[in-house]
Amino acid sequence: MLYIGWAAVICGFAVLHALHLTADFPNHTPWIHDWAKYTDEGWYGDAAVRAHLFGNWYLAGDFNPAVALPVWPFLEWLVFFATGVTIGAARGLAIFFFFANLGLSYLLLRRTGPGKSGARWVALLALTLLVTSPFLYCFSRLAILEPLLTTLTLAALNLAARLGKFRRPVAASIAIGFLFTLMMLTKTTAVFLLPAVGWAMLVSLWGEGERGISLVRCFVAAGATFALGYGLWMALVMHTGLLPDYKYLFFVNNYPKPAERWWILGSLWWSFASGLSIDRIVFPLAGLMFVGTLAGWRTGWGRRLLGDPAFGASVAAVAGYILFMTVQNHPQPRYFAVVAVFCIFLAAQGAGALVGETGWLRQLGWGVVALAVLAAVLNATWTLSYALHPEYTFIEAARGLARYVEEHPNGKRLVVATSGDQLTLMAHVPSLCDDFGTVSLHDKIGRYQPGWFASWNDLDPGTLADLHTHFSLEQVASFDALDDPERQRLVLFKLHPLDGGLVRDQTDQNLQIELPGDRFDIPIE
């Protein structure tokens, strides 16, 4: 009965994630500045949205991430046949994968621990921390890439952790290679999760006495499957002339690095410090469990825990993603949506291993369990507050902007905006991205001749200069949107072609200031 009641609580909190799917990303969170809440949902699903609304998934010169990351937009494209293009449907797909992650997490952790009953409570403790986490509540409800990437990773780990028990491990390795191909075609940062999958394969096979040729065959089968699958996709990209769009994804994600010689140490500290935003109890607890296993290597419990495929894979996954964020020097909160899951595994499995020991180690284990329960209770209160108080400001702003564009014709019904793809997903207004694209903005607007521009609280001087090559700006409407102090207002402008179709030289520094034909009152910053 205890387990039935526990499972019911977990299911109840899981269902909360599926309610109010059109609501805002919760306001006034510690993750207030993350871009995902106003760009990523539109960016990474734009191919599916365009295909259904406008009949063509590709917009030449604009940001087309589906060329490098096709899996998520393909799945959205399928869903939209049944639901139509809505933000709720896109987020519902992400919630589906969150639910899948719960099931896959249980399957992965259920196979470990001190006996069958021990394995059960360790898995349920992990699920409790997953469903009560306010961080995961916020990010698992966004139509972004991380929930799907986590699902594919957990599916691969479930196979890898059991590889030594399969009658045909080579066939299972082929499936792992296929799943890793899908991971890379979902989000290229999956390469930093490869050590986790490889470790689980190695430990599983080694633990079942597989050596030499069998071990090599499994790794070769997985690697060859990935090479074939990803190679076929790259051949298709090159054959269709889309390689510039593919390479652009890596160019745009190459963030500038500090000039200091030891900048990477500061970046590493920044990544770890940012991890505290996941959970101020669970994240440090996961780190302590790893350090504890190293310290407990000689006593046996640490060796056994590190030899568990799921625990070792979780360490590798966390380390890999922390490495990625450190090298990028850009630890955005959304990246931790993957890290959080594996940190929770480390805490739960560490608690289970310690409780299975005797003496002071067992008492320490129950102390870890108590801390995990405290984290779950505090987080549950936080998550309930978000779930019971949904707000709809951003989607109303997007719909208000679309209505204004519809009711006040001004040339093409095409909006230029950093959040343009997000506006298209939310309100079906066609858009161009003013920030990203394989051609410069002044060339792009010259080609497509938009009638509208939308910005946040202020105007970027570089964007203004590009717009001024073809248009003057008239501020016509403003909508309350987000809690971010830099993005509280979504401001709409009409774009008026210059007299006589004049095209100014984009290198003219005077274009970065307000010109006589402009009419707006927001600052240029």
Side-chain angles (χ1 to χ4, degrees):
M1 288 300 295
L2 173 63
Y3 284 124
I4 293 175
W6 194 353
V9 171
I10 291 171
C11 290
F13 272 91
V15 168
L16 290 178
H17 292 66
L19 304 179
H20 314 298
L21 287 181
T22 61
D24 298 340
F25 185 96
N27 287 322
H28 311 299
T29 73
W31 319 291
I32 187 173
H33 298 293
D34 194 278
W35 299 350
K37 61 195 262 188
Y38 60 90
T39 56
D40 284 30
E41 293 179 292
W43 280 347
Y44 294 109
D46 64 5
V49 174
R50 291 169 182 165
H52 277 273
L53 294 181
F54 314 123
N56 191 355
W57 70 271
Y58 182 76
L59 194 61
D62 205 43
F63 188 38
N64 294 287
V67 174
L69 311 173
V71 177
W72 176 258
F74 175 73
L75 295 175
E76 274 195 354
W77 178 71
L78 293 177
V79 167
F80 289 157
F81 277 108
T83 64
V85 177
T86 69
I87 186 69
R91 290 175 177 173
L93 181 61
I95 291 299
F96 169 81
F97 288 115
F98 175 73
F99 289 160
N101 291 337
L102 297 178
L104 290 168
S105 298
Y106 185 82
L107 289 175
L108 183 63
L109 299 179
R110 187 69 175 85
R111 50 159 300 286
T112 188
K116 290 185 177 180
S117 62
R120 184 186 301 169
W121 76 257
V122 167
L124 290 177
L125 177 61
L127 294 191
T128 304
L129 293 171
L130 288 171
V131 297
T132 56
S133 168
F135 175 84
L136 289 177
Y137 175 84
C138 291
F139 283 93
S140 67
R141 288 166 45 83
L142 291 180
I144 55 178
L145 304 178
E146 278 73 15
L148 173 57
L149 177 61
T150 305
T151 299
L152 295 170
T153 304
L154 290 174
L157 289 177
N158 268 283
L159 288 176
R162 294 171 172 83
L163 197 56
K165 299 183 181 299
F166 289 123
R167 291 180 60 187
R168 295 191 177 100
V170 172
S173 298
I174 292 173
I176 292 170
F178 176 69
L179 285 169
F180 188 71
T181 304
L182 294 180
M183 288 165 62
M184 285 292 292
L185 293 175
T186 296
K187 192 172 177 68
T188 53
T189 55
V191 71
F192 291 91
L193 298 172
L194 179 59
V197 177
W199 175 265
M201 292 176 64
L202 176 64
V203 172
S204 176
L205 289 168
W206 202 269
E208 294 299 320
E210 298 288 347
R211 302 289 191 276
I213 190 67
S214 179
L215 196 64
V216 172
R217 281 177 178 171
C218 288
F219 276 93
V220 168
T225 302
F226 166 70
L228 177 62
Y230 204 80
L232 287 173
W233 179 257
M234 289 305 303
L236 178 62
V237 167
M238 290 186 285
H239 177 72
T240 52
L242 298 175
L243 189 58
D245 293 275
Y246 177 89
K247 292 192 293 186
Y248 181 75
L249 181 73
F250 297 91
F251 167 78
V252 80
N253 282 294
N254 184 21
Y255 299 102
K257 307 300 187 294
E260 293 83 359
R261 179 178 299 179
W262 303 107
W263 68 266
I264 199 163
L265 296 179
S267 180
L268 179 62
W269 172 250
W270 186 18
S271 297
F272 275 111
S274 298
L276 291 174
S277 71
I278 295 174
D279 191 302
R280 295 188 182 276
I281 297 177
V282 174
F283 185 75
L285 199 57
L288 289 174
M289 287 298 97
F290 172 61
V291 172
T293 56
L294 296 180
W297 179 265
R298 289 188 177 182
T299 60
W301 77 272
R303 189 182 307 117
R304 288 191 297 273
L305 190 54
L306 284 172
D308 182 277
F311 188 87
S314 296
V315 171
V318 173
Y321 243 64
I322 292 292
L323 174 63
F324 155 67
M325 287 183 274
T326 298
V327 173
Q328 281 283 82
N329 193 39
H330 193 70
Q332 283 283 307
R334 63 184 174 278
Y335 297 149
F336 287 95
V338 177
V339 175
V341 173
F342 292 104
C343 283
I344 286 170
F345 289 179
L346 292 176
Q349 284 191 281
L354 287 170
V355 168
E357 296 297 309
T358 58
W360 68 272
L361 286 176
R362 183 180 180 87
Q363 295 175 356
L364 182 61
W366 285 117
V368 173
V369 171
L371 283 174
V373 171
L374 175 64
V377 171
L378 295 175
N379 288 343
T381 304
W382 197 352
T383 298
L384 276 172
S385 176
Y386 287 154
L388 297 177
H389 301 93
E391 299 178 76
Y392 298 86
T393 309
F394 189 21
I395 193 167
E396 289 302 323
R399 289 170 176 170
L401 181 147
R403 281 195 301 271
Y404 191 97
V405 169
E406 189 69 34
E407 294 169 0
H408 302 80
N410 182 60
K412 286 187 179 180
R413 186 175 174 266
L414 179 63
V415 179
V416 179
T418 301
S419 300
D421 286 324
Q422 189 81 7
L423 298 175
T424 304
L425 175 60
M426 286 182 160
H428 299 182
V429 58
S431 65
L432 294 171
C433 181
D434 71 8
D435 202 14
F436 296 156
T438 53
V439 301
S440 61
L441 179 58
H442 64 85
D443 287 336
K444 192 159 46 173
I445 61 176
R447 174 175 180 174
Y448 290 103
Q449 292 295 309
W452 304 85
F453 170 66
S455 182
W456 293 105
N457 294 18
D458 50 47
L459 283 167
D460 176 75
T463 301
L464 183 61
D466 282 323
L467 293 170
H468 273 160
T469 58
H470 292 80
F471 302 104
S472 61
L473 283 70
E474 178 191 0
Q475 182 176 330
V476 293
S478 177
F479 308 90
D480 292 333
L482 299 175
D483 57 335
D484 186 337
E486 297 179 356
R487 295 173 183 83
Q488 292 171 323
R489 298 167 59 205
L490 184 61
V491 184
L492 181 65
F493 302 80
K494 284 184 177 180
L495 295 178
H496 299 293
L498 301 177
D499 292 340
L502 175 66
V503 177
R504 294 190 176 106
D505 184 355
Q506 72 271 14
T507 62
D508 185 351
Q509 294 298 311
N510 292 326
L511 299 184
Q512 297 191 3
I513 62 175
E514 185 173 358
L515 298 179
D518 294 330
R519 294 190 294 277
F520 58 81
D521 59 22
I522 66 172
I524 302 170
E525 294 182 358

